Amino acid sequence: MNFFSLVPLLGGIFNLALSLFVYLNERRSRLTQVFFCWGLCISIWNLGTYALFRLPAGSAYFGEAYVWAKLMQYGVIFIPVTMLHLCLLLADRKPGRWIVLLYLVHGGFAVMNAFDLFISGVRHVGYAYYSEAGIGFKIYGVAFVQTFASIFILAKKRASLPPRQRSSFNSILIAQALL
């Protein structure tokens, strides 16, 4: 068993457990609802990655790899918009109605994924299967600007906080930058 293939499995399990723990402690809070959705997306991404690392090379596994790659993309599709929404809430900035439009755009990407337009296939690269970008994924690349907007929003909020409260934003800023 390859140790490195366990990293996304453990990440998926821990992200799901943390998201459920936070959500179940305060279900009515919009912040925890959005955090749960974001954590669920990351868990789906991690578990799909784990499956793609575990499948052996060969045409017999190509179909299964493609199914896992598509499933994984559902998590990937919604990460930027849920992260932006989460960062707006953390920064005490009320999201406008435009956030609904962003969710609809990402929902459109999910529909493209269902119809094999988001990824066009998979290929084995020696140690795992990787998705091949379809037209939807190429368009999705533009949507990743939301990630940079999230970092900017948190950094701006952090700068406005007293020094003792700034450290609470450091972890999420680092995590967002790494993601």
Side-chain angles (χ1 to χ4, degrees):
M1 178 179 288
N2 183 352
F3 169 75
F4 293 109
S5 69
L6 293 178
V7 172
L9 175 64
L10 294 174
I13 292 169
F14 289 131
N15 277 309
L16 184 59
L18 176 64
S19 299
L20 278 170
F21 175 76
V22 170
Y23 176 73
L24 293 175
N25 281 307
E26 185 59 47
R27 291 184 195 130
R28 292 186 177 161
S29 165
R30 177 65 66 198
L31 180 64
T32 59
Q33 293 168 356
V34 174
F35 180 81
F36 174 74
C37 291
W38 177 67
L40 184 62
C41 290
I42 290 176
S43 296
I44 292 168
W45 174 35
N46 284 332
L47 295 173
T49 301
Y50 168 74
L52 293 174
F53 269 95
R54 300 297 301 152
L55 288 171
S59 59
Y61 298 101
F62 183 81
E64 187 177 350
Y66 188 60
V67 168
W68 277 108
K70 285 180 64 131
L71 177 67
M72 178 184 75
Q73 295 306 325
Y74 286 112
V76 170
I77 286 169
F78 289 100
I79 288 174
V81 68
T82 54
M83 186 62 185
L84 177 61
H85 195 175
L86 182 63
C87 290
L88 287 167
L89 295 172
L90 286 171
D92 294 324
R93 296 181 71 184
K94 187 168 178 129
R97 293 184 186 262
W98 55 268
I99 198 79
V100 174
L101 178 63
L102 279 178
Y103 276 105
L104 288 173
V105 167
H106 286 266
F109 291 132
V111 170
M112 291 177 89
N113 192 36
F115 289 102
D116 299 332
L117 297 171
F118 196 74
I119 61 171
S120 61
V122 291
R123 61 186 161 91
H124 199 274
V125 295
Y127 56 90
Y129 282 92
Y130 272 75
S131 303
E132 294 177 342
I135 186 70
F137 195 86
K138 293 172 184 171
I139 297 168
Y140 170 79
V142 175
F144 230 74
V145 169
Q146 295 166 66
T147 304
F148 300 113
S150 300
I151 294 170
F152 177 76
I153 290 166
L154 287 179
K156 190 172 179 180
K157 176 66 176 182
R158 183 187 176 281
S160 71
L161 293 172
R164 287 183 54 195
Q165 293 179 346
R166 287 183 186 164
S167 63
S168 64
F169 274 76
N170 290 343
S171 299
I172 195 155
L173 269 170
I174 291 168
Q176 178 63 355
L178 290 173
L179 186 62

